[in-house]
Amino acid sequence: MRSDILKKGIETLPHRALLRAAGLNDDDMEKPFIGVADSFNDIIPGHIHLRKLSEEVKKGIRDAGGVPFEWGVPGICDGIAMHVSMRHSLPSRDHIADNIELMVLSHSLDGWVGVTNCDKITPGMLMAAARLDIPSIIITGGPMMAGGESGELDLSSAFEAVGSLEKGSMDPGKARQIEMNSCPGAGSCSGLFTANTMSCITEALGMSLEGSATTLAISNRKLEEAYMTGRRAVELVRDDLRPSAIMTENAFENAATVYIAIGGSTNGILHLAAVAKEAGIRLDADVFDGISRKVPNICHISPSGPHHLEDLDRAGGIPAVMKELREYLKDAIDIEGSNLKEKIKEAVVRDPTVIRPVSDPFYPEGGIAVLRGSLAASSVVKQIAVNDDMMRHKGPARVFHKEGDVLDAIRSGTIREGDVVIINFMGPAGAPGMPEMLTPTAAIAGAGFDKVALVTDGRFSGATRGPCIGHVEPEAFVGGAIGLIRDGDIIEIDIPERRIDILVDEGELERRRRALTPPERKLTPFLERYRRSIMNEYHDR
């Protein structure tokens, strides 16, 4: 075992003295040391119950003959940070991967469990698993129940209420009821937003127990899953089953296929590609777009449709989704060492109105489309969340550098039907930190606009719906065309043809590029380091 370097030998006698001070005895020195990376905090609704799950994980580790060591992992609530202080969210993902590397390697742990749930914490833990390649397993904390009397509300309802209030089309009393009822308790927000997208990806990738992605946070089943996750962590060490045997190229393509078919958040591309990179596998936008062209959309979960994660769980969860997609999946094994394609034969689709057959999908293509053209070498849109009459659109640009200015424009009535709202200098280096644009996109939807598109080099929340095109590359900060757009320039979007263009001649764009001055941003030392790392990454491409 890796931990034998601490347990045996004269030179590590002082190390054992310290371990005994932490409560270990002679018997413990014969057991696997299993880390528990616990992201509990009492700020994020998706994490307020994780302490209970960690306790069950530790019980499972002890009962299977291991010694658990727990530490805290930071977590940011994107919904709370949104619009207010969002620039630290994406950088926190990499910080979480580093946190786990520091703790696991410094303490010679034999394996570890990641206890997670929300947006950046789950991909950060998967990145660490791929990077370290020692036995590891993830448990996600489970989705929140939908809100309202009949499950009609979720977090996107609250964000869209902002636009309705700004426009004066919603009574403040109704808005108050949405605030009070849209998020009824513990768990990741109930739609297929980024947190639940990543939980589904984790299970499809093979890194969590079967069925765990959709088990409700408040369910006793989730406590059982936590216990079994702890037991399995010890078995993984004894079997020497490492992430590299599970997170293969086939597994990444399977996870991308499930993600595309269920219509997950556009952030799924960003995060799954980052995990793959840690595993030494290239997973670029072309892979996702290629899958989306051939794999249909078989689930319509909020914000794309009426269902929530509890409906997907009731319908059979990710195993049932994968069974329906079996013709598109490749050979792989899961965290239990089982052959994936054999295992999903036992799954059952219990509600074909929630998980449709591939022969009768909600949409003939997958959830994501990658657009290219004179405005972007690459950009992403959640096409299943776009109305048919906005799949093709041409309109004048309204350019903003800050989210708050968009809200002011909605209040003042200066945004009109047909406009293309541009929010630039919001990329990884430009913001920096690539914040999500849910507040302006939800405000536009809530204000009742049907024919307004939004384009940004920032990101979108999984709760975003409508013709919202993000992840524009190259970003404005490094001279990308999105930073050269001026009010009134005509923008043409053609999602079926995968095009996005600025109808300005190249000579004029080049003149604008030479005169380009990025807006100044006040940066903390953390954000300064992050910007430098992004610029170095761009330089190395």
Side-chain angles (χ1 to χ4, degrees), residues 13-14 37 64 69 133 170 223 229 249 259 263 272 288 299 323 334-335 348 364 402 406 410 432 488 499 501:
L13 182 151
F69 293 93
D133 197 30
M170 179 179 286
L223 295 173
T229 294
E249 188 169 353
Y259 156 65
L272 192 54
F288 291 96
C299 297
K323 181 174 185 177
D334 65 10
I335 200 71
V348 177
K402 295 186 294 185
V406 179
I410 291 172
R499 294 288 306 181
D501 293 287

Side-chain angles (χ1 to χ4, degrees), residues 243-262:
S244 57
I246 299 166
M247 291 195 283
T248 61
E249 188 169 353
N250 279 0
F252 277 105
E253 291 193 23
N254 288 345
T257 297
V258 170
Y259 156 65
I260 292 290
I262 62 177

Side-chain angles (χ1 to χ4, degrees), residues 71 73-74 91-104 112 120-121 123-129 131-132 278:
W71 72 91
V73 174
S92 77
R93 181 195 69 185
D94 301 356
H95 176 76
I96 287 161
D98 294 344
N99 170 295
I100 292 167
E101 176 185 339
L102 292 169
M103 294 299 292
V104 169
W112 62 278
K120 307 307 175 296
I121 301 91
M125 289 190 177
L126 288 172
M127 289 167 66
R131 180 190 300 176
L132 301 180
E278 294 282 1

